mmCIF file of all heavy atoms in Angstrom:
data_model
loop_
_atom_site.group_PDB
_atom_site.id
_atom_site.type_symbol
_atom_site.label_atom_id
_atom_site.label_comp_id
_atom_site.label_asym_id
_atom_site.label_seq_id
_atom_site.Cartn_x
_atom_site.Cartn_y
_atom_site.Cartn_z
ATOM 1 N N PRO F 173 59.750 75.085 124.974
ATOM 2 C CA PRO F 173 60.830 75.879 125.552
ATOM 3 C C PRO F 173 61.773 76.445 124.518
ATOM 4 O O PRO F 173 62.079 75.797 123.608
ATOM 5 C CB PRO F 173 61.525 74.877 126.487
ATOM 6 C CG PRO F 173 61.425 73.611 125.754
ATOM 7 C CD PRO F 173 60.048 73.630 125.066
ATOM 8 N N LEU F 204 72.188 83.587 129.073
ATOM 9 C CA LEU F 204 71.055 82.891 128.467
ATOM 10 C C LEU F 204 69.849 83.031 129.192
ATOM 11 O O LEU F 204 69.873 82.857 130.517
ATOM 12 C CB LEU F 204 71.513 81.339 128.366
ATOM 13 C CG LEU F 204 70.270 80.415 128.201
ATOM 14 C CD1 LEU F 204 69.666 80.420 126.825
ATOM 15 C CD2 LEU F 204 70.719 78.973 128.559
ATOM 16 N N TRP F 206 66.233 81.177 129.361
ATOM 17 C CA TRP F 206 65.547 79.955 128.918
ATOM 18 C C TRP F 206 64.099 80.071 129.325
ATOM 19 O O TRP F 206 63.901 80.077 130.585
ATOM 20 C CB TRP F 206 66.226 78.755 129.340
ATOM 21 C CG TRP F 206 65.680 77.464 128.858
ATOM 22 C CD1 TRP F 206 64.976 76.605 129.628
ATOM 23 C CD2 TRP F 206 65.792 76.868 127.538
ATOM 24 N NE1 TRP F 206 64.623 75.510 128.854
ATOM 25 C CE2 TRP F 206 65.069 75.707 127.590
ATOM 26 C CE3 TRP F 206 66.415 77.337 126.389
ATOM 27 C CZ2 TRP F 206 65.040 74.877 126.480
ATOM 28 C CZ3 TRP F 206 66.318 76.450 125.314
ATOM 29 C CH2 TRP F 206 65.708 75.322 125.314
ATOM 30 N N PHE F 207 63.197 80.194 128.398
ATOM 31 C CA PHE F 207 61.760 80.265 128.692
ATOM 32 C C PHE F 207 61.046 78.954 128.688
ATOM 33 O O PHE F 207 61.149 78.278 127.653
ATOM 34 C CB PHE F 207 61.102 81.227 127.701
ATOM 35 C CG PHE F 207 61.709 82.677 127.717
ATOM 36 C CD1 PHE F 207 62.819 82.953 126.906
ATOM 37 C CD2 PHE F 207 61.282 83.695 128.554
ATOM 38 C CE1 PHE F 207 63.444 84.178 126.848
ATOM 39 C CE2 PHE F 207 61.875 84.891 128.574
ATOM 40 C CZ PHE F 207 62.852 85.166 127.728
ATOM 41 N N CYS F 208 60.423 78.608 129.785
ATOM 42 C CA CYS F 208 59.851 77.187 129.747
ATOM 43 C C CYS F 208 58.533 77.199 130.594
ATOM 44 O O CYS F 208 58.211 78.223 131.209
ATOM 45 C CB CYS F 208 60.745 76.230 130.426
ATOM 46 S SG CYS F 208 61.253 76.524 132.043
ATOM 47 N N GLN F 209 57.860 76.111 130.497
ATOM 48 C CA GLN F 209 56.662 75.931 131.359
ATOM 49 C C GLN F 209 56.988 75.971 132.712
ATOM 50 O O GLN F 209 58.031 75.366 133.097
ATOM 51 C CB GLN F 209 55.985 74.590 131.028
ATOM 52 C CG GLN F 209 55.061 74.576 129.858
ATOM 53 C CD GLN F 209 54.353 73.220 129.815
ATOM 54 O OE1 GLN F 209 54.269 72.460 130.724
ATOM 55 N NE2 GLN F 209 54.000 72.852 128.568
ATOM 56 N N PRO F 210 56.243 76.581 133.640
ATOM 57 C CA PRO F 210 56.561 76.635 135.077
ATOM 58 C C PRO F 210 56.820 75.249 135.632
ATOM 59 O O PRO F 210 57.640 74.990 136.438
ATOM 60 C CB PRO F 210 55.285 77.253 135.707
ATOM 61 C CG PRO F 210 54.711 78.071 134.578
ATOM 62 C CD PRO F 210 55.007 77.403 133.314
ATOM 63 N N SER F 211 56.030 74.194 135.198
ATOM 64 C CA SER F 211 56.271 72.855 135.849
ATOM 65 C C SER F 211 57.543 72.222 135.359
ATOM 66 O O SER F 211 57.942 71.193 135.955
ATOM 67 C CB SER F 211 55.034 72.020 135.374
ATOM 68 O OG SER F 211 55.064 71.861 133.973
ATOM 69 N N GLU F 212 58.188 72.835 134.397
ATOM 70 C CA GLU F 212 59.403 72.232 133.894
ATOM 71 C C GLU F 212 60.640 73.023 134.348
ATOM 72 O O GLU F 212 61.826 72.635 134.002
ATOM 73 C CB GLU F 212 59.471 72.271 132.334
ATOM 74 C CG GLU F 212 58.304 71.484 131.742
ATOM 75 C CD GLU F 212 58.769 70.570 130.672
ATOM 76 O OE1 GLU F 212 59.058 71.083 129.479
ATOM 77 O OE2 GLU F 212 59.000 69.443 130.923
ATOM 78 N N ALA F 213 60.462 74.114 135.138
ATOM 79 C CA ALA F 213 61.521 74.951 135.511
ATOM 80 C C ALA F 213 62.563 74.229 136.364
ATOM 81 O O ALA F 213 63.901 74.422 136.157
ATOM 82 C CB ALA F 213 61.065 76.124 136.342
ATOM 83 N N ASN F 214 62.204 73.363 137.292
ATOM 84 C CA ASN F 214 63.217 72.677 138.111
ATOM 85 C C ASN F 214 64.085 71.699 137.227
ATOM 86 O O ASN F 214 65.287 71.752 137.485
ATOM 87 C CB ASN F 214 62.542 71.900 139.168
ATOM 88 C CG ASN F 214 61.895 72.777 140.252
ATOM 89 O OD1 ASN F 214 62.243 74.012 140.358
ATOM 90 N ND2 ASN F 214 60.920 72.261 140.956
ATOM 91 N N ARG F 215 63.411 71.048 136.437
ATOM 92 C CA ARG F 215 64.176 70.155 135.606
ATOM 93 C C ARG F 215 65.213 70.904 134.660
ATOM 94 O O ARG F 215 66.375 70.502 134.569
ATOM 95 C CB ARG F 215 63.221 69.321 134.641
ATOM 96 C CG ARG F 215 63.881 68.305 133.781
ATOM 97 C CD ARG F 215 62.842 67.390 133.098
ATOM 98 N NE ARG F 215 62.064 68.061 131.991
ATOM 99 C CZ ARG F 215 62.511 68.160 130.798
ATOM 100 N NH1 ARG F 215 63.704 67.789 130.525
ATOM 101 N NH2 ARG F 215 61.736 68.660 129.825
ATOM 102 N N TYR F 216 64.747 72.010 134.097
ATOM 103 C CA TYR F 216 65.640 72.762 133.149
ATOM 104 C C TYR F 216 66.719 73.491 134.061
ATOM 105 O O TYR F 216 67.893 73.669 133.552
ATOM 106 C CB TYR F 216 64.869 73.779 132.368
ATOM 107 C CG TYR F 216 64.342 73.142 131.138
ATOM 108 C CD1 TYR F 216 62.990 73.132 130.933
ATOM 109 C CD2 TYR F 216 65.103 72.457 130.217
ATOM 110 C CE1 TYR F 216 62.448 72.496 129.797
ATOM 111 C CE2 TYR F 216 64.560 71.823 129.173
ATOM 112 C CZ TYR F 216 63.221 71.916 128.925
ATOM 113 O OH TYR F 216 62.788 71.282 127.838
ATOM 114 N N PHE F 217 66.504 73.822 135.301
ATOM 115 C CA PHE F 217 67.453 74.390 136.167
ATOM 116 C C PHE F 217 68.669 73.454 136.212
ATOM 117 O O PHE F 217 69.854 73.768 135.958
ATOM 118 C CB PHE F 217 66.941 74.689 137.519
ATOM 119 C CG PHE F 217 67.864 75.499 138.374
ATOM 120 C CD1 PHE F 217 67.645 76.824 138.517
ATOM 121 C CD2 PHE F 217 68.988 74.953 139.039
ATOM 122 C CE1 PHE F 217 68.474 77.646 139.429
ATOM 123 C CE2 PHE F 217 69.821 75.616 139.787
ATOM 124 C CZ PHE F 217 69.545 77.077 139.955
ATOM 125 N N ASP F 218 68.297 72.134 136.580
ATOM 126 C CA ASP F 218 69.405 71.153 136.774
ATOM 127 C C ASP F 218 70.118 70.977 135.397
ATOM 128 O O ASP F 218 71.324 70.662 135.402
ATOM 129 C CB ASP F 218 68.840 69.781 137.265
ATOM 130 C CG ASP F 218 68.275 70.062 138.660
ATOM 131 O OD1 ASP F 218 68.697 70.977 139.400
ATOM 132 O OD2 ASP F 218 67.430 69.255 139.059
ATOM 133 N N TYR F 219 69.241 70.886 134.355
ATOM 134 C CA TYR F 219 69.826 70.665 133.086
ATOM 135 C C TYR F 219 70.905 71.670 132.651
ATOM 136 O O TYR F 219 72.074 71.384 132.366
ATOM 137 C CB TYR F 219 68.824 70.628 132.028
ATOM 138 C CG TYR F 219 69.326 70.623 130.545
ATOM 139 C CD1 TYR F 219 69.779 69.399 129.943
ATOM 140 C CD2 TYR F 219 69.372 71.800 129.826
ATOM 141 C CE1 TYR F 219 70.290 69.454 128.637
ATOM 142 C CE2 TYR F 219 69.893 71.750 128.491
ATOM 143 C CZ TYR F 219 70.312 70.612 127.962
ATOM 144 O OH TYR F 219 70.873 70.620 126.687
ATOM 145 N N TRP F 220 70.590 72.966 132.845
ATOM 146 C CA TRP F 220 71.527 74.037 132.477
ATOM 147 C C TRP F 220 72.731 74.098 133.372
ATOM 148 O O TRP F 220 73.815 74.333 132.968
ATOM 149 C CB TRP F 220 70.812 75.384 132.397
ATOM 150 C CG TRP F 220 70.010 75.518 131.102
ATOM 151 C CD1 TRP F 220 68.664 75.483 130.875
ATOM 152 C CD2 TRP F 220 70.666 75.511 129.748
ATOM 153 N NE1 TRP F 220 68.411 75.486 129.470
ATOM 154 C CE2 TRP F 220 69.615 75.524 128.789
ATOM 155 C CE3 TRP F 220 71.972 75.452 129.205
ATOM 156 C CZ2 TRP F 220 69.767 75.568 127.430
ATOM 157 C CZ3 TRP F 220 72.175 75.537 127.981
ATOM 158 C CH2 TRP F 220 71.169 75.515 127.003
ATOM 159 N N LEU F 221 72.472 73.880 134.674
ATOM 160 C CA LEU F 221 73.590 73.824 135.610
ATOM 161 C C LEU F 221 74.614 72.736 135.161
ATOM 162 O O LEU F 221 75.841 73.116 135.042
ATOM 163 C CB LEU F 221 73.115 73.523 136.998
ATOM 164 C CG LEU F 221 74.152 73.386 138.068
ATOM 165 C CD1 LEU F 221 75.180 74.487 138.176
ATOM 166 C CD2 LEU F 221 73.557 72.975 139.476
ATOM 167 N N ASN F 222 74.078 71.617 134.713
ATOM 168 C CA ASN F 222 74.996 70.613 134.374
ATOM 169 C C ASN F 222 75.650 70.873 132.980
ATOM 170 O O ASN F 222 76.856 70.628 132.742
ATOM 171 C CB ASN F 222 74.025 69.334 134.077
ATOM 172 C CG ASN F 222 74.813 68.055 134.330
ATOM 173 O OD1 ASN F 222 75.876 68.094 135.030
ATOM 174 N ND2 ASN F 222 74.431 67.046 133.618
ATOM 175 N N GLU F 223 74.976 71.535 132.064
ATOM 176 C CA GLU F 223 75.497 71.939 130.701
ATOM 177 C C GLU F 223 76.657 72.837 130.981
ATOM 178 O O GLU F 223 77.764 72.819 130.294
ATOM 179 C CB GLU F 223 74.438 72.539 129.858
ATOM 180 C CG GLU F 223 73.477 71.610 129.321
ATOM 181 C CD GLU F 223 74.067 70.505 128.483
ATOM 182 O OE1 GLU F 223 74.459 70.789 127.345
ATOM 183 O OE2 GLU F 223 74.189 69.366 128.976
ATOM 184 N N ARG F 224 76.415 73.829 131.912
ATOM 185 C CA ARG F 224 77.459 74.869 132.225
ATOM 186 C C ARG F 224 78.764 74.234 132.756
ATOM 187 O O ARG F 224 79.890 74.588 132.471
ATOM 188 C CB ARG F 224 76.884 76.006 133.061
ATOM 189 C CG ARG F 224 75.733 76.672 132.429
ATOM 190 C CD ARG F 224 76.049 77.323 131.126
ATOM 191 N NE ARG F 224 77.078 78.288 131.179
ATOM 192 C CZ ARG F 224 77.997 78.368 130.301
ATOM 193 N NH1 ARG F 224 78.080 77.603 129.241
ATOM 194 N NH2 ARG F 224 78.950 79.327 130.472
ATOM 195 N N LEU F 225 78.579 73.266 133.626
ATOM 196 C CA LEU F 225 79.707 72.668 134.233
ATOM 197 C C LEU F 225 80.473 71.787 133.214
ATOM 198 O O LEU F 225 81.680 71.755 133.126
ATOM 199 C CB LEU F 225 79.300 71.735 135.450
ATOM 200 C CG LEU F 225 78.655 72.476 136.699
ATOM 201 C CD1 LEU F 225 78.075 71.532 137.696
ATOM 202 C CD2 LEU F 225 79.855 73.263 137.343
ATOM 203 N N VAL F 240 80.017 74.110 143.001
ATOM 204 C CA VAL F 240 78.749 74.791 143.039
ATOM 205 C C VAL F 240 78.365 75.199 144.466
ATOM 206 O O VAL F 240 78.531 74.305 145.426
ATOM 207 C CB VAL F 240 77.658 73.999 142.248
ATOM 208 C CG1 VAL F 240 77.942 73.781 140.871
ATOM 209 C CG2 VAL F 240 77.422 72.639 142.911
ATOM 210 N N ALA F 241 77.608 76.227 144.613
ATOM 211 C CA ALA F 241 77.174 76.690 145.906
ATOM 212 C C ALA F 241 75.691 77.004 145.808
ATOM 213 O O ALA F 241 75.351 77.810 144.969
ATOM 214 C CB ALA F 241 77.927 77.887 146.437
ATOM 215 N N GLU F 242 74.841 76.342 146.619
ATOM 216 C CA GLU F 242 73.495 76.605 146.550
ATOM 217 C C GLU F 242 73.308 77.894 147.389
ATOM 218 O O GLU F 242 73.759 77.953 148.617
ATOM 219 C CB GLU F 242 72.709 75.408 147.226
ATOM 220 C CG GLU F 242 71.246 75.458 147.188
ATOM 221 C CD GLU F 242 70.570 75.194 145.880
ATOM 222 O OE1 GLU F 242 70.983 74.153 145.199
ATOM 223 O OE2 GLU F 242 69.633 75.835 145.505
ATOM 224 N N ILE F 243 72.640 78.840 146.986
ATOM 225 C CA ILE F 243 72.514 80.146 147.709
ATOM 226 C C ILE F 243 71.257 80.179 148.579
ATOM 227 O O ILE F 243 70.129 80.045 147.989
ATOM 228 C CB ILE F 243 72.500 81.362 146.700
ATOM 229 C CG1 ILE F 243 73.868 81.277 145.842
ATOM 230 C CG2 ILE F 243 72.482 82.661 147.517
ATOM 231 C CD1 ILE F 243 75.224 81.284 146.533
ATOM 232 N N ARG F 248 69.849 85.516 148.233
ATOM 233 C CA ARG F 248 69.541 85.402 146.761
ATOM 234 C C ARG F 248 69.253 86.839 146.199
ATOM 235 O O ARG F 248 68.785 87.691 146.923
ATOM 236 C CB ARG F 248 68.366 84.535 146.493
ATOM 237 C CG ARG F 248 68.748 83.048 146.528
ATOM 238 C CD ARG F 248 67.365 82.251 146.191
ATOM 239 N NE ARG F 248 67.434 81.002 146.955
ATOM 240 C CZ ARG F 248 66.327 80.370 147.361
ATOM 241 N NH1 ARG F 248 65.161 80.797 147.159
ATOM 242 N NH2 ARG F 248 66.468 79.306 148.062
ATOM 243 N N TYR F 251 65.105 88.675 142.345
ATOM 244 C CA TYR F 251 64.247 88.020 141.459
ATOM 245 C C TYR F 251 64.317 86.471 141.517
ATOM 246 O O TYR F 251 63.617 85.721 140.807
ATOM 247 C CB TYR F 251 64.676 88.422 139.992
ATOM 248 C CG TYR F 251 66.210 88.343 139.759
ATOM 249 C CD1 TYR F 251 66.852 87.171 139.646
ATOM 250 C CD2 TYR F 251 66.901 89.519 139.674
ATOM 251 C CE1 TYR F 251 68.244 87.134 139.508
ATOM 252 C CE2 TYR F 251 68.258 89.542 139.600
ATOM 253 C CZ TYR F 251 68.956 88.282 139.354
ATOM 254 O OH TYR F 251 70.331 88.243 139.253
ATOM 255 N N ALA F 252 65.295 85.875 142.291
ATOM 256 C CA ALA F 252 65.588 84.430 142.159
ATOM 257 C C ALA F 252 64.771 83.646 143.179
ATOM 258 O O ALA F 252 64.753 83.845 144.331
ATOM 259 C CB ALA F 252 67.095 84.199 142.374
ATOM 260 N N ARG F 253 64.140 82.549 142.538
ATOM 261 C CA ARG F 253 63.477 81.583 143.387
ATOM 262 C C ARG F 253 64.465 80.536 143.880
ATOM 263 O O ARG F 253 64.252 79.805 144.894
ATOM 264 C CB ARG F 253 62.411 80.836 142.564
ATOM 265 C CG ARG F 253 61.136 81.712 142.347
ATOM 266 C CD ARG F 253 60.301 81.068 141.343
ATOM 267 N NE ARG F 253 59.142 81.950 141.226
ATOM 268 C CZ ARG F 253 57.863 81.634 141.491
ATOM 269 N NH1 ARG F 253 57.590 80.393 141.984
ATOM 270 N NH2 ARG F 253 56.936 82.469 141.471
ATOM 271 N N ARG F 254 65.396 80.227 142.994
ATOM 272 C CA ARG F 254 66.547 79.346 143.313
ATOM 273 C C ARG F 254 67.771 79.989 142.606
ATOM 274 O O ARG F 254 67.640 80.497 141.549
ATOM 275 C CB ARG F 254 66.319 77.900 142.798
ATOM 276 C CG ARG F 254 67.326 76.969 143.243
ATOM 277 C CD ARG F 254 67.166 75.543 142.705
ATOM 278 N NE ARG F 254 68.346 74.801 143.064
ATOM 279 C CZ ARG F 254 68.732 73.626 142.376
ATOM 280 N NH1 ARG F 254 67.958 73.131 141.496
ATOM 281 N NH2 ARG F 254 69.882 73.034 142.727
ATOM 282 N N GLN F 255 68.847 79.833 143.345
ATOM 283 C CA GLN F 255 70.166 80.367 142.811
ATOM 284 C C GLN F 255 71.297 79.475 143.145
ATOM 285 O O GLN F 255 71.404 79.077 144.290
ATOM 286 C CB GLN F 255 70.379 81.789 143.422
ATOM 287 C CG GLN F 255 71.715 82.475 142.979
ATOM 288 C CD GLN F 255 71.838 83.897 143.419
ATOM 289 O OE1 GLN F 255 70.897 84.518 143.809
ATOM 290 N NE2 GLN F 255 73.063 84.356 143.448
ATOM 291 N N VAL F 256 72.007 79.071 142.162
ATOM 292 C CA VAL F 256 73.329 78.256 142.460
ATOM 293 C C VAL F 256 74.381 79.216 141.793
ATOM 294 O O VAL F 256 74.262 79.637 140.582
ATOM 295 C CB VAL F 256 73.183 76.904 141.788
ATOM 296 C CG1 VAL F 256 74.515 76.214 141.763
ATOM 297 C CG2 VAL F 256 72.223 75.999 142.634
ATOM 298 N N ASP F 257 75.502 79.396 142.544
ATOM 299 C CA ASP F 257 76.641 79.935 141.961
ATOM 300 C C ASP F 257 77.644 78.877 141.535
ATOM 301 O O ASP F 257 77.911 78.045 142.328
ATOM 302 C CB ASP F 257 77.237 80.987 143.020
ATOM 303 C CG ASP F 257 76.428 82.242 143.237
ATOM 304 O OD1 ASP F 257 75.453 82.376 142.457
ATOM 305 O OD2 ASP F 257 76.793 82.955 144.144
ATOM 306 N N ILE F 258 78.145 79.035 140.389
ATOM 307 C CA ILE F 258 79.309 78.194 139.949
ATOM 308 C C ILE F 258 80.510 79.035 140.541
ATOM 309 O O ILE F 258 80.741 80.146 140.114
ATOM 310 C CB ILE F 258 79.418 77.921 138.512
ATOM 311 C CG1 ILE F 258 78.136 77.187 138.087
ATOM 312 C CG2 ILE F 258 80.696 77.171 138.186
ATOM 313 C CD1 ILE F 258 78.032 76.829 136.648
ATOM 314 N N GLU F 270 79.814 82.289 137.889
ATOM 315 C CA GLU F 270 78.603 82.393 137.097
ATOM 316 C C GLU F 270 77.451 82.067 138.051
ATOM 317 O O GLU F 270 77.457 81.270 138.946
ATOM 318 C CB GLU F 270 78.662 81.271 135.983
ATOM 319 C CG GLU F 270 77.362 80.924 135.274
ATOM 320 C CD GLU F 270 77.515 80.280 133.904
ATOM 321 O OE1 GLU F 270 78.571 80.204 133.370
ATOM 322 O OE2 GLU F 270 76.400 79.893 133.367
ATOM 323 N N GLY F 271 76.324 82.718 137.651
ATOM 324 C CA GLY F 271 75.109 82.550 138.490
ATOM 325 C C GLY F 271 74.095 81.766 137.629
ATOM 326 O O GLY F 271 73.853 82.088 136.420
ATOM 327 N N ILE F 272 73.465 80.803 138.259
ATOM 328 C CA ILE F 272 72.319 80.124 137.581
ATOM 329 C C ILE F 272 71.115 80.485 138.378
ATOM 330 O O ILE F 272 71.108 80.286 139.588
ATOM 331 C CB ILE F 272 72.457 78.566 137.571
ATOM 332 C CG1 ILE F 272 73.816 78.104 137.139
ATOM 333 C CG2 ILE F 272 71.424 77.844 136.714
ATOM 334 C CD1 ILE F 272 74.197 78.177 135.844
ATOM 335 N N HIS F 273 69.973 80.985 137.760
ATOM 336 C CA HIS F 273 68.873 81.450 138.511
ATOM 337 C C HIS F 273 67.592 80.946 137.883
ATOM 338 O O HIS F 273 67.466 80.929 136.696
ATOM 339 C CB HIS F 273 68.788 83.004 138.406
ATOM 340 C CG HIS F 273 70.096 83.710 138.781
ATOM 341 N ND1 HIS F 273 70.799 84.555 137.906
ATOM 342 C CD2 HIS F 273 70.847 83.706 139.919
ATOM 343 C CE1 HIS F 273 71.832 85.071 138.523
ATOM 344 N NE2 HIS F 273 71.889 84.524 139.751
ATOM 345 N N ASN F 274 66.705 80.580 138.772
ATOM 346 C CA ASN F 274 65.284 80.326 138.420
ATOM 347 C C ASN F 274 64.539 81.582 138.745
ATOM 348 O O ASN F 274 64.383 81.946 139.877
ATOM 349 C CB ASN F 274 64.673 79.153 139.193
ATOM 350 C CG ASN F 274 63.215 78.973 138.863
ATOM 351 O OD1 ASN F 274 62.637 79.799 138.238
ATOM 352 N ND2 ASN F 274 62.613 77.929 139.390
ATOM 353 N N ARG F 275 64.268 82.472 137.675
ATOM 354 C CA ARG F 275 63.652 83.767 137.966
ATOM 355 C C ARG F 275 62.177 83.730 137.945
ATOM 356 O O ARG F 275 61.530 84.756 138.011
ATOM 357 C CB ARG F 275 64.256 84.789 136.858
ATOM 358 C CG ARG F 275 65.738 84.983 136.863
ATOM 359 C CD ARG F 275 66.205 85.961 135.866
ATOM 360 N NE ARG F 275 65.839 87.283 136.161
ATOM 361 C CZ ARG F 275 66.690 88.327 136.160
ATOM 362 N NH1 ARG F 275 67.960 88.127 136.019
ATOM 363 N NH2 ARG F 275 66.224 89.575 136.387
ATOM 364 N N GLY F 276 61.612 82.514 137.876
ATOM 365 C CA GLY F 276 60.160 82.339 137.862
ATOM 366 C C GLY F 276 59.466 83.285 136.881
ATOM 367 O O GLY F 276 59.939 83.441 135.677
ATOM 368 N N TYR F 305 58.252 80.483 132.934
ATOM 369 C CA TYR F 305 59.344 80.783 133.917
ATOM 370 C C TYR F 305 60.630 80.880 133.128
ATOM 371 O O TYR F 305 60.813 80.325 132.080
ATOM 372 C CB TYR F 305 59.497 79.508 134.793
ATOM 373 C CG TYR F 305 58.587 79.613 136.043
ATOM 374 C CD1 TYR F 305 57.404 80.454 135.959
ATOM 375 C CD2 TYR F 305 58.808 78.963 137.283
ATOM 376 C CE1 TYR F 305 56.530 80.582 137.131
ATOM 377 C CE2 TYR F 305 57.979 79.133 138.344
ATOM 378 C CZ TYR F 305 56.923 79.847 138.298
ATOM 379 O OH TYR F 305 55.997 79.967 139.402
ATOM 380 N N ILE F 306 61.654 81.582 133.815
ATOM 381 C CA ILE F 306 62.890 81.793 133.161
ATOM 382 C C ILE F 306 64.038 81.180 133.942
ATOM 383 O O ILE F 306 64.168 81.406 135.152
ATOM 384 C CB ILE F 306 63.122 83.333 133.029
ATOM 385 C CG1 ILE F 306 62.156 83.916 132.029
ATOM 386 C CG2 ILE F 306 64.656 83.583 132.542
ATOM 387 C CD1 ILE F 306 62.119 85.399 132.003
ATOM 388 N N ILE F 307 64.805 80.280 133.170
ATOM 389 C CA ILE F 307 66.068 79.801 133.845
ATOM 390 C C ILE F 307 67.145 80.616 133.120
ATOM 391 O O ILE F 307 67.234 80.733 131.961
ATOM 392 C CB ILE F 307 66.245 78.391 133.569
ATOM 393 C CG1 ILE F 307 65.025 77.529 134.074
ATOM 394 C CG2 ILE F 307 67.499 77.824 134.276
ATOM 395 C CD1 ILE F 307 64.723 77.703 135.609
ATOM 396 N N GLU F 308 68.072 81.169 134.081
ATOM 397 C CA GLU F 308 69.047 82.109 133.462
ATOM 398 C C GLU F 308 70.390 81.522 133.816
ATOM 399 O O GLU F 308 70.689 81.055 134.934
ATOM 400 C CB GLU F 308 68.894 83.390 134.196
ATOM 401 C CG GLU F 308 70.149 84.367 133.901
ATOM 402 C CD GLU F 308 69.905 85.671 134.567
ATOM 403 O OE1 GLU F 308 70.003 85.790 135.759
ATOM 404 O OE2 GLU F 308 69.683 86.700 133.790
ATOM 405 N N THR F 309 71.366 81.586 132.812
ATOM 406 C CA THR F 309 72.758 81.300 133.146
ATOM 407 C C THR F 309 73.448 82.621 132.842
ATOM 408 O O THR F 309 73.303 83.170 131.699
ATOM 409 C CB THR F 309 73.301 80.125 132.344
ATOM 410 O OG1 THR F 309 73.653 80.616 131.013
ATOM 411 C CG2 THR F 309 72.440 78.894 132.286
ATOM 412 N N SER F 310 74.291 83.129 133.754
ATOM 413 C CA SER F 310 74.956 84.390 133.578
ATOM 414 C C SER F 310 76.355 84.514 133.999
ATOM 415 O O SER F 310 76.632 84.171 135.252
ATOM 416 C CB SER F 310 74.113 85.480 134.291
ATOM 417 O OG SER F 310 74.748 86.731 134.211
#
Side-chain angles (χ1 to χ4, degrees):
L204 158 74
W206 180 255
F207 301 90
C208 63
Q209 270 187 26
S211 62
E212 300 228 279
N214 290 339
R215 181 168 77 81
Y216 279 122
F217 189 103
D218 294 339
Y219 169 79
W220 280 111
L221 172 59
N222 210 25
E223 289 299 284
R224 299 303 300 138
L225 290 170
V240 296
E242 185 80 45
I243 305 301
R248 283 180 212 150
Y251 46 74
R253 286 169 178 242
R254 184 180 171 202
Q255 178 174 341
V256 166
D257 287 349
I258 298 180
E270 165 157 351
I272 316 285
H273 309 119
N274 175 352
R275 300 181 69 124
Y305 272 26
I306 294 170
I307 304 302
E308 170 179 72
T309 74
S310 174

